[in-house]
Amino acid sequence: MADISISNLVKTYPGGTERATDDVSLEIADGDFTVLLGPSGCGKTTLLRMLAGLELPDSGSISIGGRDVTYLPPNKRNISMVFQSYAVFPHRSVRYNIGFGLQMAKMPKSDIEKKVQWAAELLQLGPYLDRLPAQLSGGQRQRVAVARAIVVDADVLLMDEPLSNLDALLRLNFRSELKKIVQDLGTTTVYVTHDQSEALSLGDQVAVMRKGRIAQLGGPLDVYDAPSDRFVGGFIGSPPMNFIDAAVTADGDTLVVGDQKLMAPSLLRSFKASDIVLGVRAENVAVGTQRSSGDIAATVLVVEPMGSTVLLTVDVEGQTLKVQAPPTFRTAPHQTIWLSFSPNTMRFYDRETSMALEAK
Amino acid sequence: MTVQAPAAPTKATVRAPRRRVPAAVWLIGPSVIFMILLLGWPVVEGVLQAFQDENGFTLDFVTRMVQDPYFWPAVRNTLLLIVVMIPIQFAFAIGMALLLRANPRLHKVHFFVWAIPLALSDLAAGLVWLSIFNDRGYLNSVLAWLGLEGSSWLAYDNQTTMFICVLIAELWRATSLVLVIVVAGLQGIPKDYDEAAQVFGATFWQRLRHVTLPLLKPSLQVALILRTILAFQTFAVAQALTGQNFPLVVGETYRWYTGLQNPNVAAALALVILVVSMLTSIFYLRALREKNQGGTR
């Protein structure tokens, strides 16, 4: 176990012009579970591979447990990794695969056997130890890859989209199992995914990446509730955060959306008479069929019952919003409904820079 | 009218039972004919030639072949060449393929250059190496320029250097075949396996032994069978370099056929090569198949 310190890491792939990681710095505390989240091509896998030593950075440094490992080969870093493709050796048995790292470290055979048994039990692979990977299902192969990664006493556990090749149900089950295993081990873990629900459910901290940079770093609820820019808000959450063009009046008390008015929170006093973007999560908009003061009118476009909620697509002054209504809410397309926003769930962004507005 | 009416159904019933050649026959036919004409017929003809004279079956030609003073040296030389050459050749080819996989600068050019011998006729290759190894060749010139004394590398009484010259020339000429097969095999192995091994602490040699070579086995099997069979047929390079001073089995076949004008003994020698090649292939297939089964259990 060890902490990780990444500073000013720059990597450009040969032949490429864009930086795969652009001056990334990140501190990960000992025992933390950090998720690197972002769309494909955002540099999250490159960052992980540089941690593993499978890619070397152009500049910057990485240290694990206080030891500078920036240019060390992977086998000198004391790490372990779960690959997206599992990379379970097809020519050897499950037993051999799980014990591979220990065998390379020349551990005595009896100790290897003990550790393999322990990991196999933990991941319910006991009956399959003598099989070849080809005789296992995808989910079981994934378990072998995880078992192989946890038997070695690594400083850092790296995971590269380990669940992305599993089907939806298996992914959901294995996700919580994985979280428990890693919690019990207490190993510092870096986990790469493009799936925002995975990131929120697993991570102690989530680093949302975009174009080689970390757009926001924070706890899962922080990045969900208070996205630092429009990209993060739009990437995290299903449905993504709504963004509505609005304007603050000259006195700073009122927010104008088209012809309708909303009470402006005190934060906006410092942005009198400016064009801004209002960001709000679908579940933070209350819907009603009766008007009450401060509500704004919306026209229903689409009604999607989701079981636990009803997802409505509505039109407000020519802008489209997704809002969540309770499952008992009855409405139909073309009807007018009333939306109310609570001031502490509203987020505000700069129209030009897309960055979150902060009180001056 | 009553006569004409049933005419149509009759026509149909006539057409239906007409035998049509199944598509499979059309598809497989050409290659069967091709095999019979180009392989089956010559083999039968060769066997007849080796075991038959005007009076019918005879072992005279085989006896004559075995009693020839050049026969056993030729067999010994051929086997020696195989035993020494093939391991070196595979070590070189695997090493070169691994170097190429590391994606050095201009690796495509390297691969192309390394594959050039594949495109060269073996006689031409033999003549190139003759210009290097002969008494006034490049090798001796370079040695003289360095102030060292050259040697008659290819002299008939210098069996060791002769063998080494043939070995070097054959290595140069035929390693590229193994290289091409191994490179193709390596490209078929996902990089993840090697990376996983690295991450889990394996050194270069551990990776080679525990991951790369086992995964490369199917390609190595093919290359091994091909190269061994082709090595039994080594001829032109040795012929160009040493003439008859370093006899090989195929060289002897050639000598009996053209020099001694005895196609029957030549056919017997050719059969020896055929039988040995077949036995080798069977051996390799058996040996490697059993290993596969062992792995499953």
Side-chain angles (χ1 to χ4, degrees):
Chain A
M1 276 179 262
D3 60 324
I4 303 172
S5 171
I6 299 168
S7 61
N8 306 101
L9 216 53
V10 176
K11 166 84 184 175
T12 310
Y13 281 105
T17 49
E18 266 182 42
R19 287 174 167 188
T21 62
D22 187 2
D23 207 22
V24 170
S25 297
L26 181 62
E27 298 289 329
I28 297 169
D30 186 8
D32 248 16
F33 195 122
T34 299
V35 178
L36 304 178
L37 171 69
S40 53
C42 72
K44 56 190 191 302
T45 298
T46 305
L47 186 56
L48 190 81
R49 288 174 61 84
M50 284 194 284
L51 272 173
L54 297 169
E55 304 283 350
L56 297 178
D58 302 336
S59 66
S61 71
I62 302 168
S63 67
I64 296 175
R67 187 169 63 119
D68 185 354
V69 298
T70 317
Y71 297 104
L72 278 187
N75 57 339
K76 298 264 191 312
R77 295 191 178 204
N78 196 23
I79 47 170
S80 71
M81 185 160 169
V82 181
F83 288 79
Q84 182 176 10
S85 63
Y86 316 151
V88 170
F89 304 122
H91 58 291
R92 301 307 286 265
S93 67
V94 170
R95 185 190 305 278
Y96 177 92
N97 265 290
I98 297 178
F100 183 81
L102 305 174
Q103 200 193 323
M104 293 302 115
K106 306 227 161 67
M107 190 183 257
K109 273 209 167 135
S110 56
D111 293 1
I112 295 181
E113 185 57 33
K114 248 182 256 166
K115 284 218 144 201
V116 169
Q117 285 295 345
W118 164 77
E121 215 152 286
L122 199 62
L123 286 147
Q124 295 146 37
L125 287 167
Y128 311 109
L129 278 177
D130 291 314
R131 293 209 192 165
L132 282 182
Q135 299 162 307
L136 300 179
S137 70
Q140 288 166 334
R141 244 174 277 172
Q142 175 62 287
R143 285 166 180 277
V144 175
V146 172
R148 179 176 66 178
I150 63 169
V151 284
V152 293
D153 214 0
D155 286 338
V156 173
L157 178 57
L158 305 173
M159 302 202 196
D160 186 7
E161 311 210 14
L163 305 181
S164 63
N165 287 347
L166 302 179
D167 64 62
L169 189 64
L170 212 55
R171 198 183 307 167
L172 207 61
N173 289 336
F174 198 44
R175 189 169 82 191
S176 47
E177 205 176 321
L178 196 64
K179 184 166 186 172
K180 185 173 184 311
I181 290 172
V182 175
Q183 258 168 10
D184 293 349
L185 283 174
T187 312
T188 313
T189 306
V190 182
Y191 185 107
V192 162
T193 183
H194 62 262
D195 180 336
Q196 42 103 8
S197 60
E198 230 167 70
L200 296 180
S201 67
L202 288 171
D204 294 326
Q205 65 172 353
V206 178
V208 187
M209 292 189 67
R210 183 199 192 190
K211 290 187 181 162
R213 288 170 171 271
I214 294 178
Q216 187 173 5
L217 176 69
L221 292 179
D222 294 340
V223 293
Y224 183 81
D225 280 340
S228 65
D229 63 15
R230 286 184 59 173
F231 163 76
V232 176
F235 187 73
I236 293 179
S238 170
M241 190 176 242
N242 293 300
F243 294 104
I244 309 158
D245 285 346
V248 186
T249 52
D251 56 11
D253 288 337
T254 316
L255 202 56
V256 184
V257 181
D259 292 334
Q260 309 196 50
K261 292 192 171 69
L262 271 170
M263 258 264 287
S266 56
L267 164 75
L268 292 177
R269 299 258 158 74
S270 28
F271 299 94
K272 286 172 185 165
S274 55
D275 286 339
I276 56 145
V277 177
L278 162 63
V280 64
R281 293 269 177 212
E283 68 271 23
N284 292 331
V285 180
V287 294
T289 45
Q290 302 294 318
R291 175 168 197 179
S292 52
S293 70
D295 282 4
I296 59 174
T299 312
V300 176
L301 298 174
V302 184
V303 180
E304 296 169 84
M306 310 294 279
S308 57
T309 57
V310 178
L311 186 63
L312 303 175
T313 307
V314 300
D315 178 281
V316 176
E317 304 286 332
Q319 304 189 52
T320 307
L321 264 68
K322 300 255 187 201
V323 297
Q324 261 179 24
T328 48
F329 190 77
R330 292 282 172 267
T331 186
H334 309 304
Q335 282 186 357
T336 298
I337 58 168
W338 298 92
L339 310 179
S340 76
F341 300 83
S342 86
N344 55 359
T345 57
M346 287 197 272
R347 303 286 172 257
F348 303 98
Y349 298 91
D350 190 291
R351 196 75 72 85
E352 309 267 287
T353 63
S354 295
M355 300 302 285
L357 297 180
E358 283 165 31
K360 283 178 195 164
Chain B
M1 286 290 276
T2 44
V3 182
Q4 269 176 352
T10 331
K11 231 180 186 177
T13 45
V14 169
R15 198 176 286 163
R18 191 194 284 168
R19 288 261 176 98
R20 290 192 60 189
V21 184
V25 173
W26 283 113
L27 290 171
I28 208 170
S31 54
V32 168
I33 293 169
F34 179 84
M35 297 279 274
I36 289 171
L37 286 180
L38 275 137
L39 287 168
W41 185 32
V43 166
V44 171
E45 194 67 10
V47 172
L48 290 179
Q49 216 166 24
F51 293 108
Q52 210 175 38
D53 59 6
E54 306 87 66
N55 312 318
F57 179 79
T58 173
L59 281 174
D60 280 1
F61 302 123
V62 178
T63 321
R64 203 160 155 205
M65 169 184 83
V66 175
Q67 281 169 352
D68 184 83
Y70 282 103
F71 177 74
W72 289 112
V75 170
R76 190 204 63 200
N77 287 343
T78 307
L79 290 178
L80 189 66
L81 193 63
I82 288 171
V83 169
V84 177
M85 176 169 62
I86 289 198
I88 301 179
Q89 210 159 44
F90 273 72
F92 269 119
I94 292 169
M96 287 152 80
L98 289 174
L99 283 175
L100 286 174
R101 188 175 64 160
N103 262 348
R105 204 165 285 189
L106 299 178
H107 69 275
K108 280 182 181 154
V109 176
H110 286 137
F111 181 62
F112 181 73
V113 169
W114 280 342
I116 284 177
L118 207 58
L120 224 60
S121 103
D122 43 359
L123 185 59
L127 292 173
V128 168
W129 283 98
L130 182 64
S131 70
I132 293 172
F133 286 133
N134 74 27
D135 288 359
R136 296 179 176 193
Y138 291 111
L139 179 58
N140 280 348
S141 307
V142 169
L143 287 175
W145 182 71
L146 290 171
L148 299 167
E149 204 172 320
S151 164
S152 296
W153 308 107
L154 300 170
Y156 69 96
D157 54 353
N158 214 341
Q159 283 284 327
T160 317
T161 57
M162 215 153 52
F163 171 73
I164 292 171
C165 289
V166 172
L167 180 71
I168 291 173
E170 265 298 287
L171 274 178
W172 179 85
R173 191 189 67 79
T175 302
S176 48
L177 176 70
V178 186
L179 174 72
V180 170
I181 295 173
V182 173
V183 164
L186 271 183
Q187 280 171 351
I189 303 174
K191 245 187 156 173
D192 288 8
Y193 295 126
D194 195 54
E195 291 184 343
Q198 284 185 50
V199 164
F200 289 105
T203 61
F204 173 78
W205 294 109
Q206 284 175 320
R207 264 148 53 209
L208 189 63
R209 195 182 136 212
H210 295 289
V211 180
T212 310
L213 287 182
L215 290 174
L216 204 53
K217 206 167 87 178
S219 306
L220 292 178
Q221 285 173 2
V222 172
L224 204 56
I225 291 173
L226 264 180
R227 260 318 293 155
T228 312
I229 290 175
L230 289 175
F232 278 120
Q233 300 170 10
T234 311
F235 166 56
V237 168
Q239 188 77 16
L241 283 176
T242 66
Q244 226 204 310
N245 294 334
F246 188 76
L248 293 170
V249 182
V250 176
E252 284 305 287
T253 316
Y254 175 73
R255 186 175 64 95
W256 277 102
Y257 193 86
T258 57
L260 302 174
Q261 300 277 323
N262 191 331
N264 302 85
V265 177
L269 274 160
L271 281 182
V272 169
I273 297 164
L274 177 72
V275 170
V276 173
S277 298
M278 275 167 57
L279 289 177
T280 317
S281 315
I282 291 169
F283 166 75
Y284 280 142
L285 289 171
R286 275 281 163 85
L288 297 166
R289 188 182 58 190
E290 274 161 24
K291 262 187 208 156
N292 276 346
Q293 284 172 345
T296 326
R297 261 162 221 166

